[in-house]
Amino acid sequence: MFDFLLHIISIAGIYALIAVGLNIQSGYAGLLNFGHIAFAGIGAYAVGIGAHLGCSPLLSIPAGIVIAMMVGLLMAGLGGKLASDYWGIATLAIAEVIRTLAFNEDWLTGGPQGLSGIVIPFDAGSQRADNLLFAAVVMVILALAAFASQRMAGHRFGRALRLMREQPQLAVCFGYSLPGLKRTALMVSAALTAFAGSLLAYYTGYVSPDYLLSSETFIIWSMVMIGGLGNVYGVVAGALLVQCLYSFIPFAKDFIDINTDIAGALRLGTLGVILLACLLGRPGGIFPERLRKIP
């Protein structure tokens, strides 16, 4: 039971980091990025490729972050030429291109089989101690990321992002560069998400093109929308709720006597019901964004 709780803490913390990254783009800046999972995949593959080349994590993790930031810069460049909905489709296409490359470049990425043998870069003496230390590291990083994101929201940059989201023309009148704000938001989000992707690769010991499936992006979107778009602590709560749901539903099949395939469908169906209930009952999520009042 203790090991299972450590698993939930670790995997929920990693996905919460990815969701916090998405919230910087979508919750603060209002950018509809449907290819967000590409950043996590880049970070994971950087660690996997680095492990097979014998590179230190101090090299492979920053390399993945830098590459993800460059992809974010590319996405931001498209955002200056496309409307928001078309830009969202373009980001989805970019993520699919990256997944296709990972699927076909066997010499580098292992192809459809992926890369295995990725080992956590520390040894606490036993498997349980390693898992406990990893969960603690993830929680500390998540706390720092959530705190930094919350501070950024109250900073001038965060207020500028919200102004761009609500009144882009007014933001221009105040002298803000909308392309510059989008680039910065995307690159900050990409860096955080790529780092979370590297943690995911270390935790699972494996990376494959399945990490880049578009369905993963929409699961992250569900976490953000259920928790509360624009509220970083709500996003963390939404990630924890969805991950607990994903972890506990497989046990339900033993009580209601269903097979594994139906249990997988039950996961998605239950998530869809919760998302619809939130959209109908609490459109702002469980913890809606708190609007600041001027006294």
Side-chain angles (χ1 to χ4, degrees):
M1 183 64 178
F2 181 72
D3 291 334
F4 180 64
L5 290 176
L6 284 181
H7 164 72
I8 293 179
I9 291 172
S10 298
I11 200 70
I14 292 171
Y15 272 89
L17 279 172
I18 299 175
V20 169
L22 179 60
N23 187 59
I24 293 173
Q25 301 174 56
S26 304
Y28 295 166
L31 302 176
L32 298 178
N33 187 347
F34 297 143
H36 180 68
I37 198 63
F39 300 141
I42 290 170
Y45 265 107
V47 164
I49 295 171
H52 279 256
L53 294 178
C55 297
S56 167
L58 297 177
L59 177 62
S60 57
I61 293 177
I65 291 174
V66 170
I67 295 172
M69 291 175 71
M70 293 301 102
V71 173
L73 189 61
L74 172 63
M75 289 181 176
L78 294 175
K81 302 177 182 179
L82 299 173
S84 60
D85 49 353
Y86 291 106
W87 182 77
I89 296 172
T91 60
L92 179 61
I94 291 174
E96 187 62 22
V97 167
I98 294 173
R99 190 189 73 84
T100 302
L101 289 173
F103 190 88
N104 289 285
E105 299 301 322
D106 299 49
W107 63 277
L108 182 64
T109 63
Q113 302 302 319
L115 299 170
S116 59
I118 304 172
V119 181
I120 297 175
F122 54 76
D123 185 3
S126 67
Q127 184 65 40
R128 172 169 288 188
D130 288 345
N131 293 339
L132 180 60
L133 180 57
F134 188 87
V137 169
V138 169
M139 287 295 101
V140 169
I141 294 172
L142 175 60
L144 292 174
F147 177 75
S149 179
Q150 182 68 17
R151 292 282 294 179
M152 184 181 71
H155 193 264
R156 179 181 177 184
F157 175 66
R159 294 195 295 269
L161 291 180
R162 283 187 166 90
L163 181 60
M164 178 181 68
R165 180 191 69 188
E166 300 295 339
Q167 297 289 341
Q169 294 180 347
L170 183 59
V172 173
C173 292
F174 279 145
Y176 292 111
S177 170
L178 300 191
L181 290 174
K182 292 178 181 178
R183 283 195 300 268
T184 305
L186 273 165
M187 293 177 73
V188 170
S189 174
L192 177 59
T193 306
F195 185 68
S198 66
L199 292 176
L200 182 60
Y202 279 123
Y203 180 70
T204 60
Y206 172 75
V207 59
S208 77
D210 290 344
Y211 281 37
L212 292 158
L213 289 172
S214 58
S215 58
E216 291 293 314
T217 289
F218 294 106
I219 290 174
I220 303 299
W221 267 99
S222 298
M223 294 175 178
V224 173
M225 295 178 68
I226 290 172
L229 188 66
N231 186 331
V232 63
Y233 298 119
V235 167
V236 173
L240 179 62
L241 173 63
V242 171
Q243 197 55 53
C244 286
L245 171 71
Y246 261 56
S247 297
F248 281 107
I249 278 184
F251 291 99
K253 68 184 182 67
D254 298 327
F255 292 97
I256 57 181
D257 193 24
I258 58 176
N259 60 40
T260 304
D261 293 336
I262 296 178
L266 183 61
R267 274 179 167 182
L268 294 177
T270 306
L271 178 59
V273 169
I274 294 175
L275 180 58
L276 286 174
C278 281
L279 291 175
L280 293 174
R282 292 184 67 88
I286 299 174
F287 300 100
E289 180 181 9
R290 297 174 63 183
L291 299 178
R292 293 170 175 80
K293 296 182 179 180
I294 300 176

